[in-house]
Amino acid sequence: MAKYANVSVATVSRVLNGTGAVADQTKKAVLAAAQKLGYSPNLLGKNLRQKQTRVILVMLSSLANTFCSKVVHGIEKEAVKNGYNIMICATEDSRKSEETYLNFVRNKMADGIIILNSTLTEEEMKEISSAFPVVQCSEYVDTQTTPYVSIDNRAAAYDAVSCLIHSGRKKIVYIGVANDLISSRLRLEGYRKALEDNGIAFDESMLLFGNYGYRSAMRAVNNFLKKNIFFDAVFAISDRMAAGAISAVRQSGRRIPDDVSVIGFDNTDITYMFEPAISTVAQPQNEMGEAAFRMLLSRMQEEMPKNIILDHKLILRNSN
Amino acid sequence: MAKYANVSVATVSRVLNGTGAVADQTKKAVLAAAQKLGYSPNLLGKNLRQKQTRVILVMLSSLANTFCSKVVHGIEKEAVKNGYNIMICATEDSRKSEETYLNFVRNKMADGIIILNSTLTEEEMKEISSAFPVVQCSEYVDTQTTPYVSIDNRAAAYDAVSCLIHSGRKKIVYIGVANDLISSRLRLEGYRKALEDNGIAFDESMLLFGNYGYRSAMRAVNNFLKKNIFFDAVFAISDRMAAGAISAVRQSGRRIPDDVSVIGFDNTDITYMFEPAISTVAQPQNEMGEAAFRMLLSRMQEEMPKNIILDHKLILRNSN
DNA sequence: TCGTTTTCAGAAAACGTTTACATAAACGGG
DNA sequence: CCCGTTTATGTAAACGTTTTCTGAAAACGA
């Protein structure tokens, strides 16, 4: 390419990057040559030399999680605004996969990473956080070293359950997921606190568990129904589980929301497609993504941003 | 690192890659040093030298499209099996974004790309296909130069509509999307052919259009209902649009499937969560992904694979 | 013991850029 | 006309690897 245009590689670089002075005539020659040869500079060389790629990774466990999609969109918008590009890595919660993608940034193929969810322990998170720029978004482990943006999951669950209670419900089933995610823990805490604050005894047998999915909740509620324990409300930590609960409850002949009130979580599309439309807790996904990117940006500039907690919002539809 | 272990960089490389002979003692020393320093080789250097990254890109328009998620999973599985990693690029149908991600592979930050959907024209597809390895998956433009794996969309639509006809339906509404995607075109053709083959006149006024989403279909059907044109079935090219159609039809007091039969497309989660469960056309998403990766692999080895058409399957539930 | 092979490890080139430095030509002011 | 400044370009180092060559030492075989 350089030889073809009869200039040095330095000049080619200068022309293509618009850096440094170069005569109009040679500039034209270089551009013409580039055009003719279909030349396009090798990013590996460029990034190696410049010690940056302007690529950041977004790690999430599954694409099927529609909640994440809006968060990612927020990240992307802010990234592009700042001249960065994002690449999405779906780990399916595989350790090996997580390791692989973390190594991409450890090994300089990307400048930083935003983790939406992972199976990383506090120790591991600390380790990688000291090795390269990382921020957490939505889910997080609370080390002092890895900043995060999220909502107050405890308060969100508290609000949802309180809403159920204030409309007269007293026997409230909780449908969660038996994992270690911070959201699971805090939402259960919020549920529990709402009960306590309203003088309702916490009852472990009212806790059901699934895997965020429709079918798992349906199964759990069906099993629960067999026990003939009275209940008049359900708080589910995902909308799909709320939908599953509604279906199971209905099949048993009970009416929604008259007999059983239901509130879900995340305000995903299913909430308005379902009949009845599902009441839910909305998170500011876009802002969360935007904030996450801004935090990563400052981390990449060697600053340590403060954690951010954004506001959630209870959205009431027809299931409660 | 090399200095720290008192060896040359060449030896470090040999130890870390297990290539070439190196004495046990030095091997240990190098590994110890790497451990101590937390050394991890720079992939930019490595990839630059080796002229390959073992990364492939998967381009899709939106993460929110749950159909894609299973395809991507199939791709990933096959990729990992072959020592490759995938990165997902969501373009949101932005030309700029598409261009950016294509440039990643043009500029050697990735070895190849699988395009699930894009706004590329035939000309553009040809151009990039001659510049680097690319295959299309699910959606495609039919150039002779860019291989694809997909289903026979025309036959799939034909089967669905025929099924409606054989159960006695004669006035069948088509709900599609007014875009240039091959699937849109072929499914409409299949719809039309099924009518013709069964002696039913094609009627342009039975064609409705939306944007794949629930609400758009609901709106379209509501408008259609106002016209008071009789119909007894709906074929929608997405499950969400099928769901929207069902809701609209029901609100008008008609029963599903007694008064109106509905069949959707893609066999997404909504089909079994919805009441009634939605009949649909299933695509072999996993196999499609796997096939796509294998095709890309052979393209990266300078072979030109043949196009692949996989089998679809009509899945009957309670909406027809 | 002497040649021959094998084992080990370093030196240096190569990958494709950017960029600091050098230098030659053009220019302008006195 | 001379000298300092600007402009335009090339040279070469640097980024961090892998890999080819090369050579020294060790092992081996006769």
Side-chain angles (χ1 to χ4, degrees), chain B residues 20 29 39 41 45 52 55 76 90 99 118 145 180 190 195 216 232 241 261 274 278-279 286 290:
Chain B
Y39 172 82
Q52 71 158 344
V55 169
E76 167 136 59
E99 196 56 45
S118 74
T145 60
D180 293 333
L195 295 187
S216 72
D232 52 16
M241 292 207 293
S261 230
F274 212 72
I278 302 173
S279 300
N286 246 285
E290 291 171 11

Side-chain angles (χ1 to χ4, degrees), chain B residues 63-197:
Chain B
L63 290 189
N65 185 340
T66 71
F67 166 79
C68 293
S69 125
K70 290 207 180 94
V71 177
V72 172
H73 199 240
I75 297 175
E76 167 136 59
K77 215 169 49 180
E78 198 65 16
V80 166
K81 195 188 296 178
N82 288 276
Y84 280 79
N85 291 105
I86 73 169
M87 301 241 169
I88 298 147
C89 309
T91 63
E92 305 294 341
D93 285 330
S94 136
R95 300 289 302 189
K96 190 147 156 290
S97 185
E98 286 179 0
E99 196 56 45
T100 303
Y101 291 124
L102 290 175
N103 279 339
F104 269 101
V105 21
R106 196 194 306 277
N107 300 344
K108 307 303 182 205
M109 282 287 282
D111 295 344
I113 188 167
I114 295 175
I115 299 182
L116 297 204
N117 43 47
S118 74
T119 67
L120 296 175
T121 64
E122 195 171 324
E123 282 317 304
E124 293 166 328
M125 191 62 86
K126 270 186 186 157
E127 188 271 316
I128 68 174
S129 195
S130 70
F132 50 82
V134 41
V135 318
Q136 306 173 88
C137 180
S138 178
E139 297 291 349
Y140 58 92
V141 300
D142 202 346
T143 82
Q144 304 307 310
T145 60
T146 317
Y148 59 82
V149 50
S150 189
I151 59 164
D152 185 339
N153 278 289
R154 191 189 285 106
Y158 184 92
D159 290 351
V161 175
S162 296
C163 169
L164 292 170
I165 295 174
H166 294 153
S167 63
R169 312 294 170 153
K170 291 203 152 41
K171 294 293 183 184
I172 304 174
V173 167
Y174 172 93
I175 309 186
V177 177
N179 59 21
D180 293 333
L181 294 186
I182 191 84
S183 61
S184 292
R185 188 163 66 74
L186 294 183
R187 290 174 196 176
L188 181 52
E189 281 181 25
Y191 162 81
R192 195 161 175 163
K193 181 133 199 307
L195 295 187
E196 281 167 9
D197 284 2

Side-chain angles (χ1 to χ4, degrees), chain B residues 1 7 10 16 30 42 49 68 99 182 194 211 214 289 293 314:
Chain B
M1 159 65 188
V7 298
L16 265 36
V30 169
N42 182 309
R49 174 61 219 237
C68 293
E99 196 56 45
I182 191 84
N211 63 9
Y214 175 87
F293 180 80
L314 194 53

